[in-house]
Amino acid sequence: MFVKGLKLLPRLSVSAPQRNCVSKMSGAVQPLCPKFISLEDRGSITKTDNSNSSAFRVVSYNILAQVYVKSSLFPHSPSPCLKWKARSQSILTVLNSLDADFLCIQELDEYDTFYKGKMESQGYSSIYIQRSGQKRDGCGIFYKPNSAELMLEELIQYNDLVKSVEDETECGNKPSDPVDIENRKATSIGLPQKDDLNDRGDPNDPRVRLKRDCVGIMAAFKLNGPHHLVIVANTHIYWDPEWADVKLAQVKYLLQRLSQFKAMVSNKFNCTPSVIVAGDFNSTPEDTVYQYLVSRSSSTISPTDSDEERPMPLCSLHAFIGGEPPFTNCTPDFTGTLDYIFFSDSGSLKPISFLELPGPESPDVVGGLPNYDHPSDHLPIGADFEVIRP
């Protein structure tokens, strides 16, 4: 979902043609299916279905959970685009067209009743975690068993942060005061209420503040071609821009868990796995969350932090290939970049292609998403990675 309180991109005049072909079947309007662009020649490439290939494809996509889709929240979207039957089929069309080895999906609802079976029929297996409390969406990783074998998996509940605060209290240590941030209501611009803060208690109590029901999932896979181990993590960080302290706490916990998981995988399989972290981080490149993720020397790190507490070195896919895109989330109220794929800065992976994204002048994004061309308010991002053999 989109967020408020962030800098908006100017809406430029429209002159650019549509960038992808639109197929029409039985008279039904089909979504645009983005293509992958080679970094070597910036031309279109097709991923080969070769089990001996050292390349694999990763896509991250917030598909906009149907539970959050209401015409009152998306008045700019054509009504037919918001209906479950149309949206679900459009999302499936896009997912299948991407031909990814790993699909990291956020806001995934109707998992057991729809997506799990539909994706299995397309050759995918999957792992999934639903959000805590009464939330009906979650994070899932769909993967192709003929491309990679699932070795280990772990679930991440960011509500576990509450226990760390309670433990500090029990030990007689006063928990640090939360950042004093005004709690502005999402309804001011018509945002869906993903959690009702009034029913949670005092938002200045860190035990209340940290209980946002957000989740993540990570798994170790053995690639069938180069027999290399790669850890793929998928997450959806809390949305409210006024709660930057909560977002940062979640990301710190994510990297802490990821470091522990990587150490366990390394010891168990006697290897050095690569790491890919994908998701909707609900943070722009200027935000502290992004800076923490990409820099070991971030200003958010205390000089007293031990090496174990410092984030593992990660590189943003788009920053690596030339810069973050102008947006991955597009609505009339907010247009900006919130979605990222990070990979371990260890020299074992090299991006060789990236998924095409529209620019501000593309007619398929004018007026905001979702629409007939894009079934979600977010855009999918992705890349082909090549395993660098030592």
Side-chain angles (χ1 to χ4, degrees):
M1 298 296 297
F2 53 84
V3 296
K4 67 185 181 73
L6 301 175
K7 181 175 67 175
L8 305 183
L9 288 176
R11 303 313 300 264
L12 304 180
S13 59
V14 177
S15 59
Q18 288 193 354
R19 45 190 183 88
N20 298 313
C21 26
V22 181
S23 60
K24 296 186 178 182
M25 301 172 59
S26 304
V29 178
Q30 296 294 302
L32 289 178
C33 297
K35 302 181 184 301
F36 283 81
I37 306 300
S38 169
L39 284 170
E40 183 176 352
D41 55 16
R42 296 281 168 154
S44 218
I45 68 169
T46 302
K47 186 172 74 70
T48 58
D49 186 18
N50 183 353
S51 60
N52 292 321
S53 173
S54 63
F56 62 97
R57 179 169 292 176
V58 179
V59 168
S60 181
Y61 192 14
N62 180 328
I63 61 174
L64 177 58
Q66 190 66 23
V67 69
Y68 302 133
V69 176
K70 298 178 182 178
S71 57
S72 61
L73 301 176
F74 296 94
H76 58 280
S77 299
S79 179
C81 300
L82 301 180
K83 297 187 181 301
W84 165 247
K85 185 175 181 180
R87 284 194 67 244
S88 59
Q89 292 302 321
S90 291
I91 291 168
L92 280 180
T93 298
V94 173
L95 294 180
N96 290 328
S97 74
L98 295 170
D99 190 27
D101 298 299
F102 300 99
L103 286 164
C104 295
I105 308 299
Q106 306 90 43
E107 289 201 26
L108 177 61
D109 61 353
E110 304 296 341
Y111 170 72
D112 289 312
T113 59
F114 183 78
Y115 286 107
K116 184 174 186 290
K118 293 293 186 182
M119 294 302 288
E120 282 179 353
S121 68
Q122 298 297 319
Y124 285 92
S125 295
S126 58
I127 53 179
Y128 175 71
I129 179 172
Q130 186 170 328
R131 292 181 67 192
S132 312
Q134 301 301 312
K135 306 304 184 298
R136 291 167 50 188
D137 65 302
C139 293
I141 299 176
F142 293 92
Y143 64 97
K144 290 184 175 180
N146 65 352
S147 298
E149 177 185 357
L150 176 64
M151 309 299 287
L152 289 172
E153 67 175 287
E154 276 194 13
L155 307 180
I156 300 173
Q157 297 274 3
Y158 292 113
N159 282 358
D160 290 345
L161 288 166
V162 176
K163 186 178 185 301
S164 65
V165 173
E166 293 173 341
D167 289 344
E168 286 183 3
T169 305
E170 290 174 2
C171 292
N173 298 322
K174 181 182 177 182
S176 58
D177 294 331
V179 177
D180 183 16
I181 301 175
E182 181 185 0
N183 177 25
R184 300 174 183 173
K185 296 300 181 184
T187 51
S188 63
I189 62 167
L191 284 176
Q193 292 285 343
K194 291 188 179 181
D195 45 27
D196 191 340
L197 302 179
N198 291 330
D199 293 341
R200 297 278 190 117
D202 181 7
N204 290 318
D205 183 340
R207 291 166 296 187
V208 173
R209 195 172 183 83
L210 290 170
K211 194 173 183 180
R212 299 297 104 198
D213 298 333
C214 298
V215 295
I217 190 169
M218 54 189 174
F221 297 91
K222 183 173 71 173
L223 302 175
N224 290 344
H227 297 291
H228 180 74
L229 259 72
V230 59
I231 293 172
V232 179
N234 179 27
T235 194
H236 192 178
I237 299 302
Y238 188 56
W239 64 271
D240 195 332
E242 302 296 337
W243 291 46
D245 57 315
V246 173
K247 297 184 190 192
L248 184 58
Q250 290 180 346
V251 166
K252 285 185 174 184
Y253 184 62
L254 168 66
L255 294 194
Q256 175 190 338
R257 289 286 304 277
L258 196 56
S259 294
Q260 294 168 351
F261 187 67
K262 180 181 178 182
M264 180 177 65
V265 171
S266 299
N267 292 333
K268 185 177 181 65
F269 301 105
N270 192 27
C271 68
T272 303
S274 302
V275 177
I276 291 177
V277 185
D280 177 357
F281 291 83
N282 273 316
S283 304
T284 65
E286 296 78 22
D287 290 340
T288 306
V289 163
Y290 178 91
Q291 297 301 320
Y292 181 83
L293 283 161
V294 299
S295 176
R296 286 181 63 95
S297 59
S298 169
S299 59
T300 62
I301 304 174
S302 169
T304 60
D305 285 347
S306 66
D307 288 340
E308 290 76 14
E309 293 172 323
R310 293 175 181 267
M312 68 170 63
L314 292 174
C315 180
S316 167
L317 163 69
H318 284 99
F320 180 85
I321 65 178
E324 300 296 347
F327 59 89
T328 61
N329 177 229
C330 182
T331 69
D333 296 292
F334 171 79
T335 298
T337 299
L338 303 175
D339 307 271
Y340 307 94
I341 295 176
F342 301 97
F343 62 100
S344 53
D345 186 17
S346 61
S348 60
L349 293 181
K350 180 180 76 171
I352 57 175
S353 79
F354 65 98
L355 188 60
E356 183 180 32
L357 288 170
E361 294 184 346
S362 297
D364 53 291
V365 300
V366 170
L369 310 181
N371 58 23
Y372 288 110
D373 293 320
H374 303 282
S376 173
D377 56 341
H378 288 251
L379 298 166
I381 59 174
D384 287 313
F385 289 92
E386 183 178 42
V387 177
I388 306 300
R389 301 175 187 274

